[in-house]
């Protein structure tokens, strides 16, 4: 236990030193890497260093905002520009680019190259939605409800390769209780549906 406390204090000392380093002109400069970040803010995120650093471990009592982390957790909202490891939060976890695992009740990712696990997941500007599911690299959706777009039954959708769930919409291949694909010759099909190359015609819906 003493060793663990000592290690945390040591990392805090290195982090504070790195985050307040001075250049030759005597001006404070931001070090782009610090081993540890601790924050305690609610709407803003004051911490032991600025929020534009790259870290190994980032912990937020309530909110956390960071350029990137390998391991990160926040009690309410965990926001990362880039996630390279495991990013989680009790309520919300979001990142601009996810390269590993984002896991939270509400997970919001702009570009997903890894795995997104959530009760409610959103990718991009809500092009990809899912309920109680897993999104793998924006290509595979496994969940209760999977949608590849935010405008249901529309022409302009970003097709996913595979969807598995009770209701699926917008997947190239779909396995579920009810599947909708406007480019299938039979748009609504139970059990299985797929893109059959049909040209979408809104008047036929």
């Amino acid at each position: 236990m003493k060793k663990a406390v000592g290690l945390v204090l040591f990392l805090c000392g290195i982090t504070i030193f790195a985050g307040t380093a001075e250049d030759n002109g005597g001006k404070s400069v931001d070090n782009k890497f610090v081993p540890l970040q601790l924050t305690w803010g609610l709407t803003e995120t004051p911490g032991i260093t600025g929020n534009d650093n790259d870290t190994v471990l980032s912990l937020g009592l309530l909110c956390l905002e960071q350029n990137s982390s390998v391991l990160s957790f926040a009690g309410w909202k965990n926001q990362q520009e880039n996630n390279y490891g495991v990013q989680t939060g009790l309520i919300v976890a979001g990142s601009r680019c996810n390269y590993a695992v984002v896991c939270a009740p509400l997970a919001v990712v702009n570009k997903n190259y890894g795995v997104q696990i959530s009760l409610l997941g959103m990718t991009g500007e809500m092009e990809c939605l899912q309920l109680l599911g897993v999104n793998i690299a924006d290509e595979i959706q496994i969940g209760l409800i999977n949608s590849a777009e935010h405008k249901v039954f529309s022409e302009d959708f970003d097709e996913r390769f595979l969807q598995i769930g009770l209701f699926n919409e917008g997947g190239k291949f779909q396995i579920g209780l009810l599947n909708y694909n406007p480019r299938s010759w039979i748009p609504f099909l139970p059990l299985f549906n797929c893109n059959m190359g049909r040209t979408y015609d809104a008047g036929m819906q």
Side-chain angles (χ1 to χ4, degrees):
M1 182 65 181
K2 290 182 179 179
K3 290 183 178 180
V5 172
L7 177 61
V8 170
L9 292 175
F10 176 72
L11 290 176
C12 286
I14 293 177
T15 297
I16 293 171
F17 176 79
T20 58
E22 292 188 350
D23 62 12
N24 292 332
K27 296 180 180 179
S28 178
V29 294
D30 288 328
N31 189 301
K32 295 306 293 182
F33 171 78
V34 293
L36 175 68
Q37 170 71 305
L38 302 175
T39 67
W40 51 86
L42 179 58
T43 55
E44 297 180 353
T45 56
I48 56 176
T49 67
N51 60 10
D52 59 347
N53 294 308
D54 301 307
T55 69
V56 175
L57 176 63
S58 296
L59 301 174
L61 180 63
L62 295 171
C63 289
L64 175 66
E65 292 181 9
Q66 201 66 37
N67 187 57
S68 72
S69 292
V70 177
L71 298 173
S72 61
F73 170 82
W76 177 45
K77 181 181 73 171
N78 181 351
Q79 181 67 40
Q80 304 284 320
E81 278 291 307
N82 300 289
N83 173 51
Y84 296 110
V86 177
Q87 177 188 3
T88 186
L90 292 182
I91 306 297
V92 182
S95 60
R96 184 178 61 83
C97 292
N98 171 43
Y99 298 98
V101 179
V102 174
C103 181
L106 174 59
V108 183
V109 176
N110 189 33
K111 295 290 185 181
N112 182 34
Y113 303 103
V115 178
Q116 181 182 9
I117 305 170
S118 62
L119 298 179
L120 176 61
M122 293 182 286
T123 304
E125 296 180 357
M126 293 194 296
E127 293 102 344
C128 179
L129 296 174
Q130 63 186 53
L131 182 65
L132 293 174
V134 177
N135 179 352
I136 303 173
D138 278 356
E139 289 295 334
I140 299 174
Q141 288 181 292
I142 303 172
L144 190 65
I145 297 175
N146 302 304
S147 174
E149 52 172 339
H150 68 286
K151 294 181 179 178
V152 180
F153 311 145
S154 71
E155 173 182 14
D156 184 18
F157 69 92
D158 186 12
E159 205 170 41
R160 299 304 184 233
F161 180 74
L162 175 65
Q163 293 177 323
I164 302 174
L166 289 182
F167 175 73
N168 300 305
E169 182 242 352
K172 185 172 292 186
F173 299 98
Q174 301 168 315
I175 300 172
L177 186 63
L178 181 62
N179 307 289
Y180 173 77
N181 191 316
R183 293 174 183 165
S184 169
W185 288 105
I186 305 176
F188 286 96
L189 277 176
L191 303 182
F192 178 81
N193 207 349
C194 65
N195 184 339
M196 300 178 185
R198 171 179 172 268
T199 301
Y200 179 91
D201 184 354
M204 297 178 63
Q205 301 303 314

